[in-house]
Amino acid sequence: MNKIILSIAGAFLLTSCGEFDPREEYVYGRFNSFVQKEQETSSTFEMKDNLGITDSYTDYTYRHKPEYYNYRVEGTINNIEIQVIIQCTDDGGDLTVYCGGTDNAKIVFKDLNGNQMKHKDGYRVKVLDSLEINGKTYKNILEFDATEAENNACDYDKAYIAANKGLIRIDLQDSITIERTTKKATERTPVD
């Protein structure tokens, strides 16, 4: 009798966590590392390209555990704008990349799974374990890759966004690489 009660209780717990309930919304695969905390911050930081030019970037992060991530960043000199939104759904989640802000190119990856996805137009996203930039190792990196896109609508080939730090690297279409410096322009601060 106790085994039956424990089995029923276990099934109820699994169902309440979305394990057996197909209507439960979630973000699947390694992409869920971006929705694992509550956060609302903004910061300004420096990035430097391989030609020695330093630029200031301002970002904004909002995440709601475990279902939503919104990251937006904009450069001053390069005028590069990137926005990444991850939303939970009942089939693994959607990841949307806006190149140049919400008015420009919108690339949507549906049914997130594993640690990488390919879009029908050739864009790719992948979650890397780590990436070293200027002697600092960042963990849980989202790599957005437009190098195989049929008609790349972005101003860059690749962008790398760390789950806890934001933008750390951009590879432009003309072999220029822009990387985050260890120098901080301002600290990440909570948004009121």
Side-chain angles (χ1 to χ4, degrees):
M1 181 71 165
N2 287 339
K3 289 181 182 180
I4 293 173
I5 292 172
L6 286 174
S7 295
I8 292 170
F12 175 75
L13 286 173
L14 287 173
T15 301
S16 67
C17 296
E19 292 295 321
F20 294 121
D21 187 354
R23 296 166 296 164
E24 186 74 26
E25 294 188 343
Y26 59 99
V27 174
Y28 194 69
R30 295 282 311 281
F31 299 96
N32 72 9
S33 64
F34 286 80
V35 296
Q36 290 305 309
K37 67 179 179 177
E38 296 287 328
Q39 181 183 32
E40 187 171 12
T41 60
S42 67
S43 67
T44 302
F45 54 93
E46 289 186 358
M47 294 187 71
K48 190 175 195 177
D49 67 23
N50 53 343
L51 301 175
I53 299 169
T54 301
D55 194 0
S56 177
Y57 283 75
T58 301
D59 70 358
Y60 166 81
T61 304
Y62 174 78
R63 32 174 142 210
H64 180 63
K65 179 181 181 178
E67 58 202 28
Y68 188 76
Y69 171 79
N70 182 356
Y71 179 76
R72 188 175 65 244
V73 65
E74 186 174 352
T76 305
I77 297 171
N78 289 312
N79 199 28
I80 292 173
E81 241 183 288
I82 304 168
Q83 183 172 11
V84 175
I85 297 174
I86 299 174
Q87 294 176 288
C88 69
T89 64
D90 60 3
D91 56 5
D94 292 345
L95 186 150
T96 305
V97 176
Y98 293 94
C99 297
T102 56
D103 295 336
N104 295 318
K106 175 180 174 181
I107 300 109
V108 180
F109 298 87
K110 293 193 164 291
D111 307 333
L112 299 176
N113 194 355
N115 73 335
Q116 59 185 336
M117 300 288 296
K118 184 174 182 180
H119 188 270
K120 62 181 173 57
D121 294 332
Y123 297 100
R124 293 178 183 268
V125 287
K126 180 190 299 186
V127 179
L128 308 172
D129 290 333
S130 63
L131 185 65
E132 186 176 321
I133 303 290
N134 292 318
K136 181 172 174 136
T137 301
Y138 298 91
K139 306 266 186 207
N140 294 321
I141 311 301
L142 178 69
E143 176 190 68
F144 174 75
D145 184 349
T147 55
E148 295 180 19
E150 290 177 24
N151 296 304
N152 185 3
C154 303
D155 295 335
Y156 51 88
D157 280 336
K158 291 184 179 183
Y160 298 85
I161 299 169
N164 290 323
K165 267 304 200 188
L167 183 67
I168 58 172
R169 178 177 167 168
I170 303 169
D171 294 342
L172 297 180
Q173 296 172 346
D174 54 6
S175 74
I176 293 176
T177 299
I178 306 168
E179 295 182 334
R180 191 175 190 131
T181 66
T182 53
K183 183 178 177 184
K184 298 176 183 175
T186 61
E187 294 290 326
R188 292 184 77 77
T189 55
V191 175
D192 295 329

